[in-house]
Amino acid sequence: MNVAQQRLPRFAVLIDADNTSPQIAGGLFEEISKFGEASVRRIYGDFSSPQLRSWADILQKHAIDPYQQFAYTKGKNASDIALVIDAMDLLHSGRFDGFCLVSSDSDFTRLASRLREQGADVYGFGTRKTPESFRQACRRFVYTENLIAERATTTTEQPPAAAALKTPAAAIPILERVVAQLGNEDGWVNLDRVGEQLPNFVSDFDVRNYGFRKLSDLVRKTEIFEIEKTEAGRLRLRAKPKAKPAEPRPTEAKAKRREASGRARKSAKDREKAASSN
């Protein structure tokens, strides 16, 4: 068996230390392992500053290579420039299938776009305050708040304060669009296909944003889809039929007919009186 065929896609993980909390490190590499191998792990910043000293213990634990960039001039971010230069060097080496850009800074929007133009997959990681331009430039964008919360549920770490979650109803428009596009003549579509397509519509779509760990649980909670298991054991779904307007009850219909008939008789009598008076 060819070992090369079994290898996961290779990713270069580039971290902007100035805009990233060291708390996400464990969850970050767990998330990356779901779709590829973090072959290169680099972090950029001025580690002589007090703000970045908390990264010291994290670097060795997760085999992250620090790239020191002294802030010689206030207002000039040498770390960002170094990260961009390294990203382009790694891109042209031809050794990587994609990049993981870890930052909440919109300055990396053009870098993400340029990497994708060259055919590389780009996964972004940042906080919920990350500007939309950077989020949409990535193939997929993961909120780091989800990484901290998920990590805390699987370890003995102290869980962080709960982030504000979206309601299941907020997911309905995007789910309806994807199901309508992928559904067959009967409207059915396999759930795994929906999950694959969702990030192509909205790069930061994540069931964890709605308080769930499985897409199937979110779909059921919306209560607007039929969901069932096929003979092959796969889940599929389709939109529930739209409810028809309730028809008037027989008694209401009769009352309306009597009322209309009464108006017609009265109108006829009024015409007769008008004719006789003439």
Side-chain angles (χ1 to χ4, degrees):
M1 188 176 291
N2 193 337
V3 176
Q5 292 179 346
Q6 295 181 335
R7 186 161 191 169
L8 291 170
R10 294 163 57 92
F11 282 82
V13 183
L14 308 178
I15 305 172
D16 173 18
D18 293 328
N19 290 286
T20 306
S21 166
Q23 287 183 296
I24 75 159
L28 171 67
F29 292 109
E30 285 183 12
E31 186 74 14
I32 294 172
S33 69
K34 296 177 182 178
F35 55 80
E37 173 188 338
S39 301
V40 165
R41 306 179 179 196
R42 298 180 182 177
I43 187 168
Y44 302 80
D46 183 1
F47 298 99
S48 64
S49 67
Q51 292 84 354
L52 299 186
R53 286 177 186 168
S54 55
W55 276 102
D57 296 332
I58 301 295
L59 300 180
Q60 185 176 4
K61 180 178 179 181
H62 296 283
I64 306 173
D65 293 327
Y67 280 63
Q68 171 68 32
Q69 299 295 323
F70 291 102
Y72 294 111
T73 306
K74 187 175 181 180
K76 302 294 183 180
N77 199 332
S79 299
D80 290 1
I81 297 173
L83 191 155
V84 171
I85 292 173
D86 279 6
M88 299 309 297
D89 286 344
L90 293 169
L91 171 68
H92 292 299
S93 72
R95 296 184 291 117
F96 300 93
D97 300 291
F99 292 79
C100 296
L101 303 180
V102 188
S103 178
S104 302
D105 192 342
S106 62
D107 289 347
F108 294 111
T109 300
R110 182 56 189 142
L111 173 62
S113 299
R114 185 70 179 85
L115 294 173
R116 294 190 70 185
E117 287 171 3
Q118 290 297 114
D121 283 336
V122 177
Y123 287 73
F125 297 82
T127 63
R128 296 183 189 275
K129 67 180 181 180
T130 303
E132 185 177 7
S133 59
F134 180 39
R135 290 189 278 116
Q136 296 304 323
C138 301
R139 177 188 174 186
R140 187 182 174 210
F141 194 88
V142 179
Y143 291 126
T144 51
E145 290 90 344
N146 290 333
L147 302 181
I148 299 174
E150 189 169 72
R151 178 74 175 171
T153 61
T154 57
T155 67
T156 58
E157 295 177 9
Q158 182 68 23
L165 297 175
K166 298 180 181 180
T167 64
I172 290 177
I174 178 63
L175 289 172
E176 287 182 324
R177 286 170 57 196
V178 174
V179 171
Q181 182 187 79
L182 300 179
N184 59 22
E185 293 181 356
D186 296 327
W188 289 106
V189 58
N190 288 333
L191 184 66
D192 54 359
R193 287 193 64 202
V194 174
E196 292 170 0
Q197 191 69 5
L198 280 167
N200 294 332
F201 277 76
V202 181
S203 63
D204 59 353
F205 183 89
D206 193 325
V207 295
R208 291 170 293 191
N209 296 337
Y210 303 88
F212 298 92
R213 300 188 67 178
K214 295 181 180 179
L215 179 58
S216 58
D217 293 336
L218 172 60
V219 169
R220 288 190 178 96
K221 194 65 176 179
T222 63
E223 299 181 348
I224 69 161
F225 296 99
E226 297 177 2
I227 186 167
E228 66 178 25
K229 185 175 288 188
T230 65
E231 294 180 357
R234 302 170 68 183
L235 291 176
R236 66 176 188 170
L237 71 151
R238 70 177 177 182
K240 290 181 179 179
K242 298 294 184 182
K244 296 181 179 180
E247 296 183 358
R249 290 179 295 180
T251 54
E252 294 178 351
K254 288 181 180 180
K256 289 182 178 180
R257 286 197 296 269
R258 286 197 300 269
E259 184 179 347
S261 177
R263 286 197 299 268
R265 287 195 299 270
K266 184 177 184 301
S267 178
K269 289 181 180 179
D270 291 341
R271 286 197 297 272
E272 290 176 1
K273 289 181 181 180
S276 62
S277 61
N278 292 332

